[in-house]
Amino acid sequence: MNQLSLLLLFILSISTILCFCSAQQKQSSRFQACSGTTYTSNSVYHTSLKTLIATLTSASAIDGALFNSTSIGPVNGQFLCRGDATTQQCNSCVSAAAPDLVDNLCPNQIGAITWYDYCIFRYTNESILGRMEESPGTELRGPARPRDLGVFNRTLDGLLDELIGNAVRNPSAFAARDARLGDFDRVYGMVQCTPDIRRSDCEKCLRDGVERIPDCCGGIGGVTIFRPSCIVRYEPELFFDPSRNGSAPASPPPPPPLSPPPPTTSNGNGTSSSGSSVNIAAVAIPTVIGAIFFIAVIVYLLMIRKRKKKAKMSNVDHEMGNGESLQFDLDMIKVATGDFSSANKLGEGGFGAVYKGVLVDGQEIAVKRLSVNSRQGSQEFKNEVVLLNKLQHRNLVRLLGFCLEKGEKLLIYEFVPNRSLDKYLFDTAKKVKLNWERRYKIIGGIARGLLYLHEDSRLRIIHRDLKAGNILLDGDMNAKISDFGMAKLVVVDQTQGNTSRIAGTFGYMAPEYALHGLFSVKSDVFSFGVLLLEIISGQKITNFDRSGPSRDLLSHAWEHWREGTSLDLVDSSLMENYSSNEVIRCIHIGLLCVQESADDRPTMSTVVLMLTSFSLTLPAPSAPAFSTQT
Ligand SMILES: *[C@@H]1O[C@H](CO)[C@@H](O)[C@H](O)[C@H]1NC(C)=O
Ligand SMILES: *[C@@H]1O[C@H](CO)[C@@H](O)[C@H](O)[C@H]1NC(C)=O
Ligand SMILES: *[C@@H]1O[C@H](CO)[C@@H](O)[C@H](O)[C@H]1NC(C)=O
Ligand SMILES: *[C@@H]1O[C@H](CO)[C@@H](O)[C@H](O)[C@H]1NC(C)=O
Ligand SMILES: *[C@@H]1O[C@H](CO)[C@@H](O)[C@H](O)[C@H]1NC(C)=O
């Protein structure tokens, strides 16, 4: 790099540092559900829905209200923001959730709901204002495992009970606070109802949700229970704004002054109060001076320790000898991504936003800005990046390096031009680009990439979150798996063989993973099977229909399989332009992958063999595991 470009870089980085950057927030659906019934384009329902979205989005902006419910023609909609959200947080959440729900999550659906971190957005043709709804819903579990289950159980019971009581009394139907667990830990809880329902309904919704905890989430430290009318959430870390719950978080009451009762003068009236303040000062001043001295000593000791540790770490760096070459400069990345400008934002993954960037030498990159708190040290992080960087396969997105600076944790990937598979597969206009030949090639590519992760690379990597959103397409529409190895990069207090924050996506999760947190190569095989059936049917696994238990994608595929009408599953946008042999074989393989018992599912090497060798006779599949939605 010559001096001129260095100077340019310097000027640019100064200007980016000076530019005001609003705090970025995680903005993506944590869960959604669709009614399964559809409206037709440009119908009255469609146009009313568009007006409704505009009305509600502006209501969240203009009124600064955290809740609104409106009807336009046949469509009823509402949003609810978290009780501690600012107007700005609420509005940006609703503005992101509403179009996302209508365009991406549940296209053309008569009813739909999405839960974001800061808001719920939903609409339906049934009336909703004032009605308590407990379905659809879900329970999401985090990775945390409390140290002492006995203490945790008792504390949580008390906390949730108190929160429910507070929420029912509070006009905004919201309550949040924390409780102490032993000497070091705390649990932070929040409950909220939509404020339009009766207090007794609010209480019922919350209590029914809490009652599910032992079955779904016993012994888990971070849980979110989503219902249309209420939310219960608790985490080991502070996740709400404690200054916006109505009062400050719990802290021990200030100690009473140790001074003896104020001396009463003979005249007894006016002087006593000043006498007592003199007394408090006499005790407090030495105490404060003592405390300051004590804190100074501790800070000094900590600083010495940190310096020693740092010296030790740089030694390790030196010995490793690599890692450094994969390290990118933060200022360089800021220049490349326009300081993480929203125009360069490619999307939002489970662990943070992804930005497109162009390096000074013209190389295009994708930058993942990790937003996950991780207790992992920077050296372990670097070591993992070095290992993942060694994985090279045409069906994997290449990890180029990382950046650890000023509290930022960034992963730098090769840039893949055609976005992710879900953007095509679930979009009525774009799916026509995916003819059968391309879909078949994509299926084969995913299978080979996954096989490489499971068996062929020196590291045995279980993906744990394989889904259409994690399959990127290059210029030739070749599939490239992304987000693998995240479990190693964002370890959060994880016990072996048990789930962590890398919780998969509902619908794609094998039953043993969703219910018991057990993952293995076979849980990836399950997700692959779901993905395969999605690619063939062009339908999302997360669509649901309340009217019949067998209307989810897996049971739908299974029923057609048994009746010998498998081709009915095929995406209608493919018309008749496909090889029925290939399609039927793929459906057969998909059904083998989603079998209830992990042992019955094939390994990826068998799957690749089945896909390539038509002479191989496949075993008959047994009934698939059913989706875990409530
Ligand atoms: C929703 O907002 C509109 C104005 O934006 C207001 O007139 C209406 O009362 C609000 N409805 C509710 C239920 O808060
Ligand atoms: C809502 O739509 C569903 C599916 O089309 C229909 O069965 C139901 O009767 C509708 N409800 C109302 C209140 O119109
Ligand atoms: C804590 O509660 C969970 C279910 O909520 C239960 O499985 C577990 O046994 C309880 N532990 C103790 C020590 O009571
Ligand atoms: C806010 O938290 C405090 C202490 O943590 C609690 O006393 C108070 O009830 C909470 N307020 C609400 C509205 O939940
Ligand atoms: C003290 O105050 C009371 C009324 O407040 C008054 O009756 C009394 O005379 C006062 N005593 C002296 C010593 O000023």
Side-chain angles (χ1 to χ4, degrees):
M1 206 184 303
N2 61 29
Q3 282 180 339
L4 188 68
S5 59
L6 266 178
L7 184 70
L8 208 69
L9 207 72
F10 178 68
I11 293 170
L12 270 172
S13 47
I14 292 287
S15 57
T16 47
I17 288 164
L18 288 179
C19 97
F20 174 71
C21 314
S22 61
Q24 73 10 298
Q25 289 143 20
K26 199 170 135 82
Q27 298 269 321
S28 63
S29 175
R30 295 190 67 200
F31 193 76
Q32 71 272 343
C34 321
S35 62
T37 49
T38 52
Y39 57 79
T40 44
S41 282
N42 300 321
S43 57
V44 176
Y45 201 84
H46 189 189
T47 46
S48 307
L49 179 57
K50 284 198 234 166
T51 318
L52 179 95
I53 300 289
T55 313
L56 285 177
T57 322
S58 71
S60 74
I62 297 162
D63 297 0
L66 295 182
F67 171 81
N68 196 301
S69 185
T70 297
S71 302
I72 307 283
V75 195
N76 310 289
Q78 74 178 209
F79 70 82
L80 171 70
C81 286
R82 221 166 69 185
D84 64 326
T86 60
T87 302
Q88 203 265 329
Q89 282 167 332
C90 178
N91 178 242
S92 72
C93 184
V94 174
S95 312
D100 190 28
L101 186 59
V102 177
D103 299 338
N104 306 321
L105 303 174
C106 298
N108 304 325
Q109 297 283 315
I110 287 184
I113 177 164
T114 176
W115 289 269
Y116 271 51
D117 213 17
Y118 274 106
C119 64
I120 308 178
F121 188 91
R122 68 173 169 139
Y123 65 86
T124 165
N125 66 340
E126 312 279 346
S127 83
I128 42 180
L129 186 64
R131 287 220 200 167
M132 195 268 273
E133 295 278 355
E134 295 180 277
S135 152
T138 192
E139 295 87 32
L140 302 182
R141 306 154 9 129
R145 296 290 184 282
R147 273 185 242 247
D148 181 338
L149 262 188
V151 172
F152 181 76
N153 283 5
R154 280 195 303 277
T155 314
L156 185 65
D157 275 354
L159 176 67
L160 292 177
D161 213 51
E162 189 190 335
L163 286 175
I164 293 177
N166 287 350
V168 169
R169 277 190 299 275
N170 188 341
S172 65
F174 170 78
R177 66 168 298 170
D178 60 346
R180 197 187 278 276
L181 293 171
D183 286 340
F184 304 107
D185 300 336
R186 282 173 180 272
V187 52
Y188 298 84
M190 177 208 98
V191 306
Q192 186 174 16
C193 297
T194 58
D196 58 324
I197 59 176
R198 281 202 305 266
R199 300 289 116 164
S200 54
D201 282 342
C202 171
E203 178 158 8
K204 178 171 186 334
C205 186
L206 294 170
R207 292 215 185 275
D208 287 350
V210 167
E211 252 170 45
R212 286 274 303 133
I213 294 174
D215 287 340
C216 74
C217 323
I220 307 269
V223 170
T224 310
I225 297 169
F226 286 132
R227 302 286 180 261
S229 293
C230 70
I231 290 184
V232 176
R233 180 172 176 187
Y234 51 92
E235 302 284 353
E237 317 273 348
L238 181 63
F239 64 94
F240 53 82
D241 181 349
S243 67
R244 297 179 62 90
N245 89 325
S247 45
S251 56
L258 297 170
S259 53
T264 36
T265 49
S266 59
N267 106 359
N269 292 357
T271 53
S272 65
S273 77
S274 70
S276 108
S277 68
V278 166
N279 248 302
I280 289 173
V283 175
I285 291 172
T287 311
V288 168
I289 292 176
I292 290 175
F293 179 73
F294 185 66
I295 289 171
V297 168
I298 288 187
V299 167
Y300 177 70
L301 289 178
L302 279 178
M303 266 165 66
I304 288 182
R305 225 180 92 182
K306 202 169 168 189
R307 203 172 294 166
K308 275 192 187 156
K309 207 167 154 189
K310 217 171 173 179
K312 207 168 136 197
M313 281 209 341
S314 57
N315 273 344
V316 177
D317 264 2
H318 196 69
E319 280 159 26
M320 289 266 310
N322 40 23
E324 300 311 314
S325 62
L326 301 178
Q327 186 147 13
F328 284 68
D329 185 11
L330 180 60
D331 289 335
M332 200 157 109
I333 299 297
K334 281 192 167 176
V335 171
T337 58
D339 200 20
F340 303 106
S341 77
S342 49
N344 284 330
K345 190 163 167 180
L346 294 171
E348 186 86 48
F351 312 101
V354 182
Y355 297 84
K356 184 186 172 169
V358 182
L359 295 177
V360 184
D361 65 2
Q363 187 188 0
E364 293 181 304
I365 52 172
V367 179
K368 186 185 283 274
R369 194 177 197 184
L370 295 179
S371 62
V372 183
N373 287 332
S374 168
R375 310 236 169 94
Q376 184 196 38
S378 56
Q379 190 54 45
E380 287 130 81
F381 181 78
K382 286 182 193 175
N383 293 348
E384 289 304 339
V385 173
V386 169
L387 290 177
L388 290 176
N389 168 263
K390 296 214 168 88
L391 296 183
Q392 292 195 41
H393 188 276
R394 61 191 300 251
N395 297 113
L396 296 184
V397 176
R398 179 89 198 275
L399 176 62
L400 302 174
F402 69 95
C403 170
L404 273 182
E405 250 182 84
K406 306 203 181 86
E408 288 277 11
K409 231 181 198 184
L410 309 175
L411 292 171
I412 323 295
Y413 289 94
E414 71 167 311
F415 177 70
V416 183
N418 271 339
R419 314 294 292 270
S420 50
L421 176 60
D422 57 341
K423 300 276 186 313
Y424 289 85
L425 201 52
F426 307 131
D427 183 286
T428 26
K430 288 198 192 139
K431 60 165 53 173
V432 292
K433 283 200 183 168
L434 294 178
N435 58 23
W436 174 247
E437 202 189 327
R438 282 191 169 149
R439 293 190 197 203
Y440 196 51
K441 194 169 83 169
I442 289 170
I443 292 170
I446 301 169
R448 281 187 297 273
L450 201 53
L451 172 61
Y452 178 81
L453 286 178
H454 284 179
E455 294 183 34
D456 289 353
S457 72
R458 280 173 304 160
L459 317 164
R460 183 186 174 89
I461 290 184
I462 298 170
H463 192 297
R464 297 209 239 167
D465 196 13
L466 193 70
K467 57 178 172 184
N470 279 338
I471 306 297
L472 305 186
L473 299 173
D474 72 9
D476 294 318
M477 300 301 257
N478 286 308
K480 281 177 179 280
I481 301 176
S482 75
D483 259 9
F484 53 87
M486 289 311 286
K488 298 192 177 258
L489 291 168
V490 288
V491 199
V492 191
D493 276 359
Q494 165 193 353
T495 44
Q496 208 201 352
N498 267 337
T499 172
S500 75
R501 170 73 124 261
I502 323 302
T505 304
F506 272 76
Y508 288 93
M509 284 162 90
E512 75 274 12
Y513 187 12
L515 300 177
H516 308 296
L518 297 171
F519 60 82
S520 65
V521 287
K522 293 297 185 71
S523 46
D524 271 354
V525 169
F526 184 94
S527 312
F528 172 80
V530 172
L531 192 48
L532 209 166
L533 294 171
E534 283 185 321
I535 293 174
I536 290 169
S537 64
Q539 305 265 338
K540 253 189 205 177
I541 184 77
T542 43
N543 283 8
F544 83 106
D545 181 1
R546 258 187 280 171
S547 59
S550 68
R551 285 289 306 192
D552 66 83
L553 181 55
L554 300 189
S555 352
H556 187 64
W558 172 242
E559 266 163 28
H560 280 296
W561 177 261
R562 279 198 312 186
E563 281 158 26
T565 53
S566 281
L567 291 178
D568 288 1
L569 191 71
V570 178
D571 192 343
S572 56
S573 79
L574 288 176
M575 312 230 252
E576 305 290 323
N577 304 322
Y578 54 81
S579 141
S580 23
N581 275 344
E582 285 172 358
V583 167
I584 290 179
R585 196 161 174 94
C586 280
I587 294 175
H588 193 161
I589 296 170
L591 286 170
L592 288 172
C593 291
V594 298
Q595 293 178 104
E596 174 97 46
S597 152
D599 290 338
D600 293 345
R601 297 174 211 145
T603 59
M604 282 320 291
S605 57
T606 313
V607 168
V608 169
L609 201 62
M610 289 169 169
L611 281 170
T612 46
S613 153
F614 272 67
S615 55
L616 194 71
T617 322
L618 307 187
S622 58
F626 292 106
S627 86
T628 48
Q629 289 176 14
T630 55

